């Protein structure tokens, strides 16, 4: 007995003595070389294809024109000739007397139901979902001990992120939290003596609440010494959300270039090490050239590639043609247009993160729900052409020309309208899926030219959702589907080509 105890003690000394659980599992250091060991595009993310998030916060209360309301309300001659400022002045009074913080008690979220929201996301076909955890405005949508300006302490008095995380994960979806707070810090950029507010969300204008150095208001308006803000606020909030909610994806909006590289590395190492402790593969998404793609996934705002990506990439897109948050004049896109964007993205090795815009009371307007449910109905029937698929030799063909770009040319992408003559390809095992972006004309034959470049021994062609036979033949020009094929869907139709 004593001998066995001695051997056990020796084994502990040799292999585990003085080593904590954290030290055993932590392997990422604060360097890009070490962080590059991380698999930035795990299979579950490649397979997911579709996620939902939402711009919902204090800025949803005024519900006027844009989620950038808290910034534009301060500029008399700013964005769109001072449109937001003039509205604020007329509706609430001068911003020096009615500041952005005065909207917080009005953000009640009295009809918010995390279970209902998660049910909707699941029915929409999303494989991951979650909130804008914090926008540029400095209000945290979780139960935070770092800032008094959080959804548990003020406004809704609910742990929005915590409740959603629990419900989303319970339905088998992955959980995403997005962060836009790199811009919240008050910074002056420009020549000495000039006040250039381009890189700060709130302008430090004399007489405004954000300029008063109030100990509480400073945490909302980012009027904090930079070193303290970087450690306690920017990194501190990320650490807090990781520790409390274990998100599977953390997505960053622009302006991470304003965060010192050492802090970007510190965040990545902390997140990846915490995930490793839980035996999880997590994803970091960036929007600009501010994190290496050996560590993160690239995101294109309201735009997408016009060719196949060698690595998985993502588009963040919204249901509306304008604001990301709810506004009284919000114009929604047709469900078919949103679905076509998803199909196009997936064919090029991409993933869609789709934004919705709830009202400040916590309701998701019926029009937005119907778009999501329409997409979910389609994905329930034909999702095998989307989920778990990979690239084929070609992403597609058709007459519609798509621009190359990023968020500087949103309008160019908004004007892209696909038709049934546009075809997108995906592949899974021994199947190629060819999806027409619209309802094809069965009175004409349909030629898929990409097959002319292959030596595939095709065994069968069918239409998902139909038992009717499809007549086809291979020609020197490609795979020809003969007229008379079944037409089963108005938004998009999937041909299943087995070989």
């Amino acid at each position: 007995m004593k001998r066995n105890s001695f051997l056990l003690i020796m084994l502990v000394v040799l292999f585990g003595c003085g080593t904590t659980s954290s030290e055993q599992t932590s392997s990422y250091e604060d360097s890009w070389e070490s962080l590059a060991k991380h698999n930035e595009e795990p299979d579950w993310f490649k397979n997911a294809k579709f996620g939902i998030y939402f711009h919902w916060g204090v800025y949803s209360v005024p519900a006027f024109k844009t989620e950038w309301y808290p910034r534009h309300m301060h500029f008399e001659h700013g964005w769109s000739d001072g449109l937001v400022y003039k509205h604020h002045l007329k509706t609430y009074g001068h911003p020096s007397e009615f500041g952005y913080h005065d909207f917080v008690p009005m953000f009640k979220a009295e009809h918010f139901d995390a279970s209902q929201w998660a049910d909707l996301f699941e029915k929409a076909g999303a494989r991951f979902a979650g909130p804008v955890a914090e926008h540029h405005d400095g209000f945290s949508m979780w139960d935070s001990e770092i800032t008094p300006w959080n959804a548990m302490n003020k406004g809704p008095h609910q742990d929005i992120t915590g409740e959603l995380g629990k419900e989303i994960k319970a339905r088998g979806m992955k959980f995403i939290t997005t962060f836009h707070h790199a811009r919240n810090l008050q910074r002056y950029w420009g020549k000495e003596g000039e006040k250039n507010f381009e890189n700060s969300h709130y302008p430090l204008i004399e007489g405004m609440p954000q300029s008063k150095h109030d100990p509480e208001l400073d945490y909302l308006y980012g009027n904090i010494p930079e070193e303290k803000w970087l450690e306690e606020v920017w990194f501190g909030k990320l650490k807090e959300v990781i520790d409390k909610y274990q998100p599977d994806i953390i997505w960053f909006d622009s302006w991470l270039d304003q965060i010192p590289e050492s802090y970007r590395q510190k965040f990545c190492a902390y997140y990846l090490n915490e995930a490793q402790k839980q035996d999880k593969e997590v994803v970091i998404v960036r929007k600009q050239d501010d994190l290496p793609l050996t560590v993160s996934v690239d995101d294109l705002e309201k735009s997408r590639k016009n060719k196949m990506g060698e690595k998985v990439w993502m588009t963040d897109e919204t249901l509306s043609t304008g604001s990301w948050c709810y506004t009284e004049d919000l114009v929604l896109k047709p469900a078919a247009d949103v679905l076509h964007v998803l199909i196009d993205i997936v064919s090029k090795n991409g993933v869609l993160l789709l934004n919705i815009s709830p009202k400040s009371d916590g309701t998701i307007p019926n029009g937005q729900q119907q778009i999501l449910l329409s997409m979910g109905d389609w994905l329930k029937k034909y999702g095998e052409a989307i989920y778990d698929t990979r690239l084929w030799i070609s992403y597609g063909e058709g007459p519609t020309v798509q621009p190359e770009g990023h968020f500087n040319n949103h309008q160019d992408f908004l004007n892209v309208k696909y038709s049934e003559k546009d075809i997108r390809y995906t592949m899974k095992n021994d199947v190629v899926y060819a999806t027409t972006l619209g309802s094809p004309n069965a009175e004409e034959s349909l030629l898929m030219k990409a097959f002319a470049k292959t030596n595939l021994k095709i065994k069968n062609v069918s239409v998902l959702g139909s038992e009717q036979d499809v007549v086809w033949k291979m020609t020197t020009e490609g795979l020809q589907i003969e007229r008379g094929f079944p037409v089963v869907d108005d938004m998009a139709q999937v041909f299943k080509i087995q070989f």
Side-chain angles (χ1 to χ4, degrees):
M1 206 53 185
K2 289 183 178 179
R3 177 179 172 80
N4 288 341
S5 298
F6 175 76
L7 289 173
L8 180 60
I9 291 170
M10 289 303 295
L11 287 171
V12 171
V13 170
L14 287 170
F15 298 105
C17 182
T19 304
T20 66
S21 173
S22 175
E23 289 170 336
Q24 287 176 338
T25 57
S26 295
S27 63
Y28 295 102
E29 299 175 356
D30 299 3
S31 72
W32 298 132
E33 292 76 19
S34 174
L35 295 165
K37 293 185 294 182
H38 153 67
N39 178 14
E40 70 278 4
E41 44 181 5
D43 282 343
W44 71 257
F45 184 68
K46 293 179 181 179
N47 293 337
K49 308 302 184 186
F50 177 40
I52 294 172
Y53 80 140
F54 35 91
H55 281 65
W56 182 51
V58 178
Y59 44 81
S60 304
V61 174
F64 184 77
K65 296 301 179 184
T66 174
E67 72 284 358
W68 282 65
Y69 190 104
R71 173 176 169 81
H72 296 319
M73 63 181 273
H74 297 100
F75 292 103
E76 185 175 355
H77 303 290
W79 177 74
S80 194
D81 195 30
L83 183 66
V84 174
Y85 173 87
K86 292 171 185 175
H87 169 81
H88 189 86
L89 192 66
K90 179 181 178 181
T91 311
Y92 305 103
H94 195 273
S96 64
E97 299 171 355
F98 189 104
Y100 184 64
H101 63 279
D102 291 308
F103 284 119
V104 173
M106 302 165 68
F107 178 43
K108 298 178 181 179
E110 60 268 31
H111 300 304
F112 169 68
D113 186 317
S115 178
Q116 289 181 2
W117 282 31
D119 281 344
L120 176 62
F121 302 154
E122 184 179 32
K123 290 176 183 176
R127 292 289 178 88
F128 60 92
V132 170
E134 184 170 318
H135 204 250
H136 312 307
D137 66 338
F139 189 84
S140 300
M141 295 291 287
W142 69 91
D143 181 10
S144 177
E145 298 176 9
I146 292 171
T147 174
W149 300 95
N150 68 78
M152 178 60 83
N153 192 53
K154 298 180 185 292
H157 295 288
Q158 298 181 67
D159 184 0
I160 301 294
T161 298
E163 292 179 29
L164 282 165
K166 178 181 177 182
E167 296 294 340
I168 287 167
K169 291 177 181 179
R171 287 157 179 76
M173 291 180 280
K174 299 290 187 180
F175 187 50
I176 182 172
T177 54
T178 80
F179 289 87
H180 310 233
H181 67 315
R183 193 185 171 101
N184 181 250
L185 176 65
Q186 290 289 355
R187 297 179 175 94
Y188 286 147
W189 292 64
K191 297 178 181 179
E192 186 176 355
E194 291 183 358
K195 293 183 178 180
N196 182 338
F197 305 112
E198 184 62 31
N199 292 285
S200 299
H201 195 60
Y202 294 109
L204 283 178
I205 299 174
E206 188 175 349
M208 299 294 183
Q210 62 267 31
S211 305
K212 293 181 178 179
H213 268 307
D214 179 287
E216 184 172 86
L217 290 180
D218 285 348
Y219 274 89
L220 181 68
Y221 293 119
N223 199 357
I224 297 172
E226 184 166 5
E227 284 305 315
K228 179 180 180 180
W229 183 87
L230 286 168
E231 180 65 31
E232 297 182 17
V233 180
W234 185 83
F235 176 71
K237 288 180 176 180
L238 287 163
K239 181 178 182 297
E240 188 172 56
V241 167
I242 292 166
D243 292 345
K244 285 192 170 190
Y245 312 113
Q246 297 83 47
D248 301 286
I249 309 172
I250 290 182
W251 176 95
F252 288 103
D253 198 11
S254 309
W255 301 290
L256 270 190
D257 59 337
Q258 296 187 32
I259 305 300
E261 185 177 45
S262 61
Y263 273 94
R264 284 177 265 162
Q265 293 170 334
K266 182 176 182 177
F267 153 74
C268 290
Y270 187 82
Y271 184 34
L272 299 181
N273 283 328
E274 289 302 302
Q276 190 177 72
K277 292 176 188 177
Q278 301 166 41
D279 196 27
K280 289 176 58 171
E281 288 187 298
V282 296
V283 178
I284 301 168
V285 186
R286 64 121 208 237
K287 190 180 281 188
Q288 292 176 305
D289 273 341
D290 38 35
L291 291 175
L293 292 181
T294 54
V295 175
S296 62
V297 170
D298 197 20
D299 176 85
L300 305 176
E301 179 184 311
K302 285 190 176 182
S303 54
R304 47 200 183 273
K305 293 182 182 291
N306 58 15
K307 59 186 177 183
M308 294 189 292
E310 294 181 10
K311 293 170 65 78
V312 172
W313 53 281
M314 191 166 86
T315 285
D316 62 303
E317 180 59 273
T318 186
L319 287 183
S320 79
T321 60
S323 172
W324 291 80
C325 80
Y326 176 78
T327 62
E328 296 293 346
D329 59 353
L330 202 66
V331 176
L332 301 178
K333 300 166 185 168
D337 287 4
V338 182
L339 177 65
H340 293 166
V341 168
L342 170 64
I343 296 168
D344 177 64
I345 288 169
V346 171
S347 73
K348 298 168 183 173
N349 208 21
V351 174
L352 172 63
L353 176 61
L354 181 64
N355 174 74
I356 64 172
S357 307
K359 299 178 75 171
S360 65
D361 65 2
T363 58
I364 299 172
N366 185 62
Q368 297 183 46
Q369 291 196 42
Q370 290 308 310
I371 294 173
L372 294 182
L373 292 173
S374 294
M375 293 183 68
D377 286 345
W378 191 93
L379 287 165
K380 187 175 182 179
K381 296 173 186 175
Y382 316 117
E384 68 175 89
I386 298 295
Y387 303 121
D388 309 320
T389 58
R390 295 294 184 268
L391 297 178
W392 189 46
I393 63 167
S394 169
Y395 73 81
E397 56 194 80
T400 304
V401 178
Q402 179 182 288
E404 177 79 27
H406 206 339
F407 54 75
N408 290 329
N409 57 341
H410 288 169
Q411 193 63 39
D412 294 341
F413 284 90
L414 190 60
N415 291 333
V416 172
K417 297 291 182 183
Y418 297 106
S419 74
E420 73 282 355
K421 296 185 181 299
D422 294 300
I423 303 172
R424 293 294 179 265
Y425 299 112
T426 54
M427 183 177 180
K428 186 191 303 178
N429 300 323
D430 295 332
V431 175
V432 173
Y433 298 95
T435 305
T436 62
L437 303 185
S439 180
N441 183 1
E443 296 181 2
E444 300 177 356
S445 62
L446 178 62
L447 181 64
M448 300 180 186
K449 298 178 182 178
F451 284 87
K453 304 174 185 177
T454 74
N455 294 314
L456 291 180
K457 305 293 184 183
I458 296 175
K459 297 178 180 178
N460 188 54
V461 178
S462 59
V463 170
L464 290 187
S466 173
E467 299 296 327
Q468 181 182 330
D469 290 337
V470 174
V471 181
W472 58 275
K473 65 180 179 182
M474 281 295 296
T475 72
T476 56
E477 294 182 275
L479 172 62
Q480 183 167 307
I481 311 297
E482 301 292 6
R483 57 187 298 179
F485 56 80
V487 176
V488 299
D489 198 274
D490 291 335
M491 292 203 298
Q493 173 155 309
V494 182
F495 290 87
K496 183 175 181 177
I497 299 111
Q498 297 169 279
F499 58 93

